[in-house]
Amino acid sequence: MNPQKIPDIIIGRLPVYLRSLQHMAEKGISTTSSKELGESVGISAAQIRKDISQFGEFGKQGTGYSIHFLIKKLNEILKVDRVWDVALVGAGDIGHALAHYQGFFNCGFKITMVFDNDPAKIGEQIGDFEIFDAANMVEIIQTTGIKVAMLTVPASEAQAVADKLVESGIKAILNYAPISLNAPPDVHVQHIDPVVHLQRMTYYLD
Amino acid sequence: MNPQKIPDIIIGRLPVYLRSLQHMAEKGISTTSSKELGESVGISAAQIRKDISQFGEFGKQGTGYSIHFLIKKLNEILKVDRVWDVALVGAGDIGHALAHYQGFFNCGFKITMVFDNDPAKIGEQIGDFEIFDAANMVEIIQTTGIKVAMLTVPASEAQAVADKLVESGIKAILNYAPISLNAPPDVHVQHIDPVVHLQRMTYYLD
DNA sequence: TAGATTGTTAATCGATTAACAATC
DNA sequence: TAGATTGTTAATCGATTAACAATC
């Protein structure tokens, strides 16, 4: 399926296409075109076609793409045609918001455990989960074989906790701490920082 | 200061440099080099120098950059040498987490008002703020002249609320709803969606 | 069939890197 | 001074766009 390496930048756009296609599917639409999909996500039709064609011939001349079929293919490509168990590390405000977030459903992810190092929180319930002691985190994650984690601890602890996640065998970290994490090349890190996103916009304001 | 247009992609990296420089400053370090800064954020030294040199000659051959001076310049360039009032729209879990978030301090942003349309929430306190009725949002934002908003309403309402924000004169929207927003070209939109970030990583997992 | 839209090629455009003179 | 590091140029690399034959 991957004869040659697909650029990161293309992989990064696929989830956005997927999200838009799922909205179309929910509305009961069955077919779309590169033009329509492009307008809905703000990307040129040519680029949509080029991106998709990296993985196969999923469209039909004259009619466009079957939304159902394209969703299926994108789910397979992104490996979210399954459910990834996710460890949530840090039971503060952001951790609570993520634990309650409904948006992971049907997108390939399910939070299955929560860790914190605060004795006052350990043992408490957060949604459906009991908060586990972070001291046991490495062992538990190694045993369960979880590969994906979300990191919502304070910036001052983030690198140390990330190192422990790497030690645990975690291969994908979604980092909410406002700090650039160092990780080995085989561990993927994505970063969410509202300040970075806001500062990207103020440049353009008066 | 901007003789020619600076590419978006460069502007997008500046907040990351800034965050790393601020961490260095907090540690009491006074000078850095493109090599050191590049290693800390995972970008080549050549690119760091090229990016920074778009805006002036802020470094010194042989010694590198004064961290204090470079922070000052980046703050000015990104227009966060001031404090932008921010409207938070949506008082759900994510809204609460943002209202309590300490990370906006000293980064150029301050949430100054919170809106929701749920009668049960209107009038309640969320941190230091009273939750206002979203029905009055357009008028209040117009009156106060706020330009920046964070949108944490359900996906089903997000486009309608975004349209009202645009009507209010908002020029920068940080969107937490899992949907691609349409906005006029003079309104900047940034999107934070944990599912998109997670799906970007699973492609690379086994 | 006629109209629409794909997949793909070639051309254009833009971003990154390597190298080095300038100079602190 | 000698060593280090910038700012900048030119070369390389990669991404986007435009165009169109193929074909549904």
Side-chain angles (χ1 to χ4, degrees), chain B residues 81-95:
Chain B
D81 55 344
R82 65 204 78 172
V83 177
W84 294 86
D85 288 348
V86 178
L88 174 59
V89 187
D93 286 318
I94 303 173

Side-chain angles (χ1 to χ4, degrees), chain A residues 104-133:
Chain A
F104 296 121
F105 182 71
N106 260 348
C107 293
F109 304 96
K110 185 170 193 301
I111 294 175
T112 57
M113 53 183 72
V114 181
F115 295 96
D116 204 294
N117 65 359
D118 179 349
K121 289 178 180 164
I122 295 164
E124 275 196 350
Q125 290 288 126
I126 174 172
D128 298 336
F129 321 101
E130 186 188 347
I131 300 175
F132 294 142
D133 188 342

Side-chain angles (χ1 to χ4, degrees), chain B residues 101-121:
Chain B
Y101 188 57
Q102 300 304 306
F104 296 121
F105 182 71
N106 260 349
C107 293
F109 304 96
K110 185 170 193 301
I111 295 175
T112 57
M113 53 183 71
V114 181
F115 295 96
D116 204 295
N117 65 359
D118 180 348
K121 288 177 181 165

